[in-house]
Structures are given as structure tokens and as C-alpha cells.
Amino acid sequence: MRVLGIESSCDETAAAVYDGSRGLLSSVVASQDAIHGVYGGVVPELASREHLKSVVPVVEKALSDASAGRDAIDGIAVTAGPGLIGSLLVGLCFAKSLAFAWGKPLFGADHLESHVHAVFLENDVPFPYIALLVSGGHTSLFRIEAWGRMGFLGGTLDDAAGEAFDKAGKMMGLGYPGGVAIDRLARAGDASRFHFPRAWLSRDSADFSFSGLKTALRTFLASPSGAAARVEDVAASFQEAVVEVLVGKALSAAKRERVPRLVYTGGVSANSRLREMASQRGAAAGIGTFLPSKAMCTDNAAMVALLGERRMSAGMFSGPDLNAYAASRFTR
Ligand code: KG4
Ligand code: ZN
């Protein structure tokens, strides 16, 4: 099948065309970072309005980049949730209308399911594998048995790692999204200069917590040594605390589950220190480490089109009653 995918769960409007035999034909992402940057975080109402402006041109570009028109598309996949309801509804209503007008089948994709399978756009990973999904909204570990068969192993009890990065960036006056700015600054910093807490929770826990780390950073920045510190060293030390816990817990989960394959995905897996540590520690532990390219880690529609292609080819479709949902379906 050749599938048009549409994604609008947060602050990226994206469209892509994926072909079951030829692979990814196009992928277009319109980011809203510049709009939300002024406010230091995503403003849901502004995000919805921006999706409304972008959805048609983004879909048109994805189709023209793939040299595909109505006749060349066999189905339409769209992110149904979880995410910001107003944002999701823009992509969802557009996809439903287009599917109806064009007479094509429709598939409502789960955003988390799309992320954990995005790796197949670039690599063939044998099942089962462990996936760490680490983004602005999620920090969760899954065991993936097959397409769409995923078990929840653990997740954050408070902030997502990307949220912690973004809040830290805001406290350090780095603008939005803070994760990218911290990554860039940290390259010129000393990660062992300051020690920030690592929340391991219990020994075998696959859960995460980043709120204590955030408070520790705030307290440090307000102290005399914080005021005198080089921002590069603070960025590197903070990043090290986040990344060590993410990689450490992901590797522990893989060992506990006796699954020697670990896939990282979601915006934070674009972090350069995470990628370095994941590769080094994975190799040392004999665990195959899969790191999709940065463009496939952050929000995109290629992963939505891919998931839609696999699911619709297997006979799974959504009806016209498909609706958006805000909360994750994967919980303990
Ligand atoms: O997956 P994503 O694009 O959107 C969702 O949240 O679903 O992830 C965005 C998150 C933001 O919190 C951003 O700060 C973080 O990913 N991020 C990074 C990096 N690139 C993006 N965090 C740390 N280092 C990066 N290089
Ligand atoms: Zn995402």
C-alpha cells in the first residue's frame, strides 16, 4: 500500500508518504518552535491555529515531493492521540474529510505506537525489543512483541525528560525548546563540574522521576555558586544527570527482560550525549542499540504513514467515528 500520513499531536504539523515496497517517499515537517518560543512552552490554542494554517500546504508538499496524487494513495493514516486535543482534531478532521472525499480507507494511529516503530524506517529490528520513548510529553519503557503488541514496563511519575530539559532551559534563560539549547551548550561544558541528583527509585524500577532534579537545579541556580557557574558546565552537568538515568534504566530493563535489543525514540533521543552513552554502554553490555536518525526521533509523519501502511495492509481500519484522545492508553 501507499499511505499518506498526517501528524498534528503537539506543535509540529507533518505529512509524509510511505510505500510498502519502495519505502519513504516524502516527509515534511512544519515546526512551530518560533511561535511558542516567546512563551517558553507550547500554547495549545496557538498550536491549533497554526496547524489550521499549515495542514493543507504541508500535505500538498508531501504529496508533490512523492509525485503522488489522489490516485497514487491507497490509504490515509492520522495521529488520533495522545496529545493536545485541539491540535489532534485539526489533523484528524482533515484526514477524515480527505479520506471521505477521496474514497480511501482511514487508520487512526497511536502517537506512542508510531514512535516505538519509527526505527523500521531505517533499520530492521528483530522482535522482541525494548523501546525507551523519551520526549516532551512521555518517558516510558515498553517491551515490543510485534507490530502494535507493546507492553508497558514503566514511565515517569512526574515530568517527562524533555519537559525537564525544557524547564531547565527556561530557568537558565536559554529559550525554547531548552533541550536543544542544553545539548549545544553542554558540548563546551564539564559534565563532572556539578553533581545533580539521579532518581533511581527502587533498584528494579522501570519508573522515572525528574521533579527532584528540577528543584535541585532551581536551588543551585539561586545559590552563590550557581550564580558564578559557567552556563556550559551547568548544562553539561544537568544533561549528564538526565541521560545517565535514561540510559541506565533502559539497559536494566533490557537485561531484566532478557531482550538484547534496545530502541531509543522520541525527541530527547536526538540528544548527542544520550546517543553517545547509549552506544557505548549498550556495546559494553552486549545489547544491540538502535538510534533512529534525529529527524525520525522527533515528531514526524513518516512514522505515522509507516504504521498506517502496516496496519491497513493487515486489514485494520478506522471508521468515520474515529475520535481524538488526550491521554496515553498505556499505563501500569
Ligand atoms: O518527540 P518530540 O518532538 O515531541 C513530543 O514531545 O512528542 O520531542 C520534543 C522534546 C522537547 O522537550 C525537546 O526539548 C526535546 O524533545 N529535544 C531534546 C533534543 N532535541 C529535542 N532534548 C535534549 N537534547 C536534544 N538534542
Ligand atoms: Zn512525539
Side-chain angles (χ1 to χ4, degrees):
M1 283 185 86
R2 186 174 297 166
V3 173
L4 168 67
I6 299 174
E7 150 68 35
S8 69
S9 65
C10 189
D11 60 342
E12 262 97 28
T13 320
V17 177
Y18 181 84
D19 183 296
S21 46
R22 289 174 54 206
L24 186 63
L25 302 184
S26 67
S27 179
V28 179
V29 181
S31 163
Q32 303 177 4
D33 281 354
I35 290 155
H36 302 291
V38 186
Y39 304 94
V42 178
V43 183
E45 179 60 24
L46 294 184
S48 311
R49 293 183 197 188
E50 236 4 76
H51 286 304
L52 271 176
K53 283 188 217 157
S54 306
V55 68
V56 173
V58 165
V59 168
E60 278 177 341
K61 180 151 182 11
L63 289 170
S64 80
D65 286 358
S67 303
R70 171 188 177 151
D71 295 342
I73 297 295
D74 304 311
I76 297 173
V78 62
T79 305
L84 300 170
I85 280 292
S87 290
L88 287 163
L89 282 171
V90 176
L92 190 82
C93 293
F94 181 81
K96 278 165 81 169
S97 311
L98 192 64
F100 178 72
W102 281 5
K104 308 286 179 186
L106 178 72
F107 177 76
D110 183 275
H111 186 65
L112 310 190
E113 201 175 323
S114 300
H115 267 305
V116 301
H117 292 300
V119 63
F120 287 102
L121 290 160
E122 296 164 332
N123 280 292
D124 250 335
V125 185
F127 291 110
Y129 60 88
I130 302 299
L132 174 68
L133 168 52
V134 63
S135 69
H138 305 278
T139 300
S140 306
L141 275 162
F142 296 98
R143 180 185 167 114
I144 319 292
E145 298 293 344
W147 278 89
R149 262 184 56 211
M150 46 199 277
F152 181 78
L153 301 176
T156 185
L157 304 174
D158 39 60
D159 290 354
E163 197 180 346
F165 265 114
D166 295 341
K167 286 178 179 165
K170 200 168 172 179
M171 282 185 239
M172 292 160 69
L174 302 178
Y176 174 85
V180 181
I182 289 176
D183 188 351
R184 197 176 337 104
L185 276 175
R187 285 172 214 171
D190 174 3
S192 61
R193 181 73 186 78
F194 304 108
H195 183 81
F196 290 111
R198 277 87 164 139
W200 294 107
L201 307 175
S202 70
R203 203 177 121 73
D204 280 345
S205 170
D207 288 332
F208 300 84
S209 168
F210 294 105
S211 61
L213 170 62
K214 197 177 61 186
T215 308
L217 176 68
R218 179 175 292 124
T219 309
F220 171 75
L221 289 173
S223 72
S225 43
R230 278 178 75 231
V231 68
E232 291 86 352
D233 294 340
V234 180
S237 303
F238 174 85
Q239 174 177 272
E240 196 71 7
V242 177
V243 167
E244 211 171 280
V245 171
L246 292 174
V247 174
K249 282 183 174 274
L251 283 167
S252 299
K255 287 180 201 160
R256 227 175 13 252
E257 294 288 317
R258 298 181 197 282
V259 171
R261 285 169 295 277
L262 183 51
V263 168
Y264 292 84
T265 187
V268 178
S269 47
N271 180 272
S272 41
R273 179 63 181 134
L274 180 143
R275 297 174 84 86
E276 182 184 53
M277 195 190 286
S279 305
Q280 286 169 355
R281 296 208 181 159
I287 288 175
T289 302
F290 297 85
L291 289 154
S293 65
K294 292 185 185 184
M296 295 305 141
C297 285
T298 51
D299 282 352
N300 65 83
M303 63 186 188
V304 180
L306 167 69
L307 181 66
E309 195 277 332
R310 294 294 157 101
R311 308 304 264 164
M312 287 191 274
S313 295
M316 288 183 63
F317 303 100
S318 303
D321 57 340
L322 176 67
N323 208 350
Y325 53 93
S328 173
R329 292 175 163 181
F330 302 97
T331 47
R332 38 185 85 64

